[in-house]
Amino acid sequence: MSDSEGVDPQLQDFILTETQKQRFQVLVHGLTDTCWDTCMGKPLNRLDYRTEVCIMNCVERFIDATTFITKRLMNTTKYRSDSPLEFQ
């Protein structure tokens, strides 16, 4: 008898979806921290040009990463196998 026998498929889907959401949130927080640490020096009343450009580039990379991850999650969900989703 496998571990998945007798378990509600809707519950399994819910758990997988919530796990994916949690992993995505961890990624978002990590990227936010990275952009802040990379771009922000000493906070001032205004952003200087260099900091503004850095933040814009970081946000653009964030959008690129989000798009990639979203497509990957959709493909993983669509073509899900018995193995769990793993991010590296």
Side-chain angles (χ1 to χ4, degrees):
M1 176 182 243
S2 72
D3 291 336
S4 64
E5 287 184 29
V7 176
D8 183 3
Q10 287 180 325
L11 179 60
Q12 286 180 326
D13 288 340
F14 175 78
I15 291 170
L16 177 64
T17 300
E18 291 302 310
T19 301
Q20 290 173 343
K21 286 179 188 178
Q22 190 260 344
R23 288 179 178 160
F24 182 74
Q25 288 174 347
V26 167
L27 179 65
V28 168
H29 290 293
L31 288 173
T32 301
D33 289 342
T34 299
C35 288
W36 180 265
D37 292 342
T38 301
C39 296
M40 291 302 296
K42 180 180 176 185
L44 303 172
N45 292 337
R46 297 182 59 165
L47 293 178
D48 61 8
Y49 178 76
R50 183 176 176 189
T51 303
E52 187 176 342
V53 169
C54 181
I55 290 173
M56 287 187 331
N57 286 334
C58 193
V59 168
E60 288 173 2
R61 299 300 69 80
F62 171 77
I63 291 169
D64 292 343
T66 301
T67 302
F68 173 79
I69 291 167
T70 302
K71 287 179 182 179
R72 180 75 179 247
L73 288 174
M74 289 183 346
N75 287 338
T76 300
T77 302
K78 186 175 180 180
Y79 301 108
R80 177 177 34 189
S81 67
D82 291 333
S83 62
L85 179 64
E86 293 182 21
F87 286 99
Q88 304 216 358

